[in-house]
Amino acid sequence: MKHTYNITGMTCNGCVASVSSDLIRIEGVLKVDVSLENGEVYIESDRHILLGILQSAISEKYKIYPKRESSEQSLIDNGEKSKWRQLRPLFLIFIYLFSAVILLNFKNWNTVNAMMDFMGLFFIVFSFFKLLDFKGFPDSFKMYDPLAKLIPAYGWVYPFIELVLGLMFLMRFQVTIALIVTIVILGLTTIGVTKVLLDKKSIQCACLGTALKLPMTEATFIENAIMLIMALSMLFMNVV
C-alpha cells in the first residue's frame, strides 16, 4: 500500500531524518520518503496503518495528515464528515441487535433472557468486525486500552475472548464467569476510552475493528457503559 501525507512542523534536514527514522520503525512500514520542500511524507507499507499510529510515532511538534482529495476516504481522515455519518454503522448495528433480541423474546418475554441474548449477539458481531482486519486491530486497540498497551498479546486474543463470551451468553454456559470477565475487560477499556475523551485526542475507535473507520467519540463510552450496566445488574440480581 502506498500513501502520501502532508506534514507540518519540519524546519530542517534534521527534522526530515527524525521523522523518517520514527516512521520506518512502525511495524508494516516498508519505505519512507520525506520531502522538506513539499512538506510531504510518502509511505509504503504491507498493510493499512491508521493515521493515529503514524502521528503517535513522531514528535508532537510534527502534525501528519492525508493530502486533500475528493474521495470519501479523504473526508473521513480529515474529520469533515459529520459524527452521524461516521457513527452510522455503529447505530445500525445496535438497531439490528435490539430488533433481533425483541424478535427472539417477544412471545415469552423475559428481561434476563433478553439481556443475555443481546450481550451474546453483541460480542459475536463485534468480534466478527475485529477479525475482518485481524492484523490491524491490535495496533489500534492498544492506543487506548490499558491492558493492551501493557501486554500487546492481549490485543491479538481480544477478538477471540469476545467470540467465546458471545457463545457463553447465547448458550447460557457459565454465565456468572462470563459476566465477571465482561465487567473486567469492558471496565478496562472504558477507563482507556474515558482518558482519550478527557484528553480530547483524535484517534480511531477499534470497537468495530479497523475495517470501518470509526472515530473515538462519546458513543464508544455509551456503548461500553450499556454493556457494563447490563453485566453488573445481572450479577447483582444473582439471576444465573
Side-chain angles (χ1 to χ4, degrees):
M1 302 182 70
K2 302 176 181 179
H3 297 283
T4 301
Y5 301 88
N6 290 123
I7 185 168
T8 59
M10 296 192 305
T11 58
C12 63
N13 289 327
C15 295
V16 172
S18 176
V19 170
S20 298
S21 63
D22 288 338
L23 292 177
I24 199 65
R25 293 194 192 101
I26 299 175
E27 184 178 357
V29 172
L30 304 175
K31 180 181 178 182
V32 176
D33 188 10
V34 182
S35 172
L36 176 62
E37 180 180 358
N38 297 327
E40 293 180 350
V41 177
Y42 168 84
I43 297 177
E44 184 175 337
S45 62
D46 62 6
R47 70 192 68 174
H48 174 69
I49 299 177
L50 297 175
L51 184 63
I53 294 176
L54 298 176
Q55 183 63 66
S56 63
I58 59 179
S59 171
E60 293 183 356
K61 71 176 182 177
Y62 309 120
K63 300 299 179 184
I64 188 170
Y65 53 94
K67 293 188 69 174
R68 286 187 176 274
E69 300 172 355
S70 59
S71 67
E72 182 180 17
Q73 182 59 50
S74 177
L75 293 178
I76 294 175
D77 289 336
N78 285 285
E80 296 176 10
K81 294 179 71 178
S82 67
K83 280 187 178 182
W84 162 247
R85 291 192 63 191
Q86 290 174 309
L87 295 172
R88 183 166 55 184
L90 182 62
F91 293 137
L92 286 175
I93 288 172
F94 267 89
I95 290 173
Y96 272 83
L97 291 178
F98 279 120
S99 299
V101 169
I102 291 172
L103 290 174
L104 288 171
N105 294 275
F106 80 98
K107 285 188 176 180
N108 298 294
W109 184 262
N110 181 287
T111 301
V112 172
N113 285 332
M115 290 170 68
M116 282 194 285
D117 286 339
F118 178 85
M119 295 175 74
L121 293 172
F122 173 96
F123 278 128
I124 288 178
V125 170
F126 276 60
S127 67
F128 165 78
F129 281 101
K130 291 177 175 68
L131 291 171
L132 285 179
D133 183 17
F134 183 55
K135 290 184 178 181
F137 170 74
D139 287 335
S140 179
F141 189 50
K142 70 182 181 182
M143 292 185 68
Y144 61 89
D145 185 89
L147 187 55
K149 287 181 181 179
L150 184 64
I151 307 174
Y154 176 64
W156 291 98
V157 301
Y158 186 84
F160 300 101
I161 293 175
E162 285 196 333
L163 178 59
V164 171
L165 287 174
L167 293 173
M168 290 175 71
F169 282 121
L170 292 178
M171 297 172 66
R172 309 299 194 260
F173 176 74
Q174 296 293 334
V175 178
T176 300
I177 294 175
L179 288 170
I180 294 172
V181 174
T182 296
I183 292 168
V184 172
I185 65 172
L186 289 186
L188 288 171
T189 302
T190 303
I191 292 173
V193 170
T194 303
K195 187 177 186 305
V196 169
L197 294 176
L198 291 176
D199 293 342
K200 297 183 178 179
K201 293 181 180 179
S202 178
I203 65 172
Q204 297 281 348
C205 175
C207 57
L208 287 176
T210 57
L212 299 177
K213 312 296 186 230
L214 298 180
M216 179 69 72
T217 67
E218 292 81 1
T220 309
F221 175 84
I222 294 172
E223 160 206 324
N224 285 350
I226 290 173
M227 291 292 288
L228 278 173
I229 291 172
M230 283 187 177
L232 286 168
S233 61
M234 291 176 66
L235 199 61
F236 178 77
M237 290 185 298
N238 195 26
V239 296
V240 293

